[in-house]
Amino acid sequence: PDSNVLNPYRGLRPYSAVDAPTFYGRVRLVQRLVQQLLARPRPGVRFLSVLGPSGSGKTSLVQAGLWPELRRQDAASALFTIEHPSLDPFGS
């Protein structure tokens, strides 16, 4: 086998922004999220929360779908972050 061939099947590992070219199947959902995020702009305020069950592909959707699409649409000044729950979510 050719060791230079990219395997697009990641199993349970999430896609990241560098994997965007091989992230398939969520084009309509990504476009819908972009529209939701940009439809009602308020100066300095744009927030989108992606929620769902564990293993449903939220991280891949955001990192390999949404973020690259926003960057492509010239939203380079946007701040992207992923928050994870903790034992003290409102603590410092």
Side-chain angles (χ1 to χ4, degrees), residues 44-78:
V45 179
R46 289 187 180 150
F47 178 80
L48 177 70
S49 181
V50 178
L51 305 171
S54 177
S56 64
K58 300 174 301 293
T59 299
S60 296
L61 172 68
V62 170
Q63 292 185 159
L66 181 60
W67 289 352
E69 181 60 21
L70 288 172
R71 285 188 181 102
R72 191 187 70 73
Q73 293 191 22
D74 200 28
S77 64

Side-chain angles (χ1 to χ4, degrees), residues 8-9 14 16 18-19 21-22 26 29 31 35 38-40 56 61 64 68 78 82 92:
Y9 304 105
S16 67
V18 298
D19 301 310
T22 59
R26 299 272 182 106
L29 180 55
Q31 289 303 318
Q35 290 170 358
L38 302 179
R40 293 171 296 234
S56 64
L61 172 68
I82 292 181
S92 55

Side-chain angles (χ1 to χ4, degrees), residues 24-38:
Y24 301 107
R26 299 272 182 106
V27 173
R28 287 189 300 177
L29 180 55
V30 168
Q31 289 303 318
R32 191 168 143 210
L33 292 176
V34 168
Q35 290 170 358
Q36 289 278 328
L37 189 59
L38 302 179

